[in-house]
Amino acid sequence: MAVSGAFEVLLDDGNSKRQVLLNRPDLGLMIPAGIWASEINFSSGAVCLVLASEKYNEKDYIRDYSDYLKFIQSNDSSAS
């Protein structure tokens, strides 16, 4: 959520992309597991608050977009 100012979140599921503007402190965005998200276009003085349901673990995250696409493709093919 944007506690102050505004920014956009670029959401990508490996097939389609969408940008969401966050500019109100009373609205947030829930991003489910398996979605690549990037925070972009911060206004001057913007503050981004992130809440999580689990304790942070570095191993839970994919840092490279090409690795993310491989992960998504392997999960799509295993679901078939």
Side-chain angles (χ1 to χ4, degrees):
M1 66 180 51
V3 176
S4 177
F7 60 92
E8 292 178 295
V9 181
L10 177 60
L11 304 168
D12 182 342
D13 66 3
N15 295 308
S16 61
K17 296 180 183 182
R18 177 178 177 196
Q19 280 183 223
V20 177
L21 174 65
L22 293 178
N23 62 356
R24 293 177 47 186
D26 60 329
L27 292 178
L29 177 66
M30 184 180 144
I31 304 171
I35 301 295
W36 185 267
S38 304
E39 296 75 27
I40 58 173
N41 300 327
F42 283 82
S43 69
S44 178
V47 176
C48 172
L49 174 64
V50 177
L51 305 172
S53 59
E54 300 288 329
K55 186 176 177 181
Y56 176 78
N57 182 347
E58 173 68 26
K59 295 177 184 175
D60 290 340
Y61 293 85
I62 300 171
R63 300 286 179 200
D64 183 78
Y65 186 70
S66 61
D67 291 340
Y68 167 74
L69 291 176
K70 291 175 192 171
F71 171 80
I72 291 299
Q73 290 170 353
S74 70
N75 283 344
D76 285 347
S77 62
S78 66
S80 306

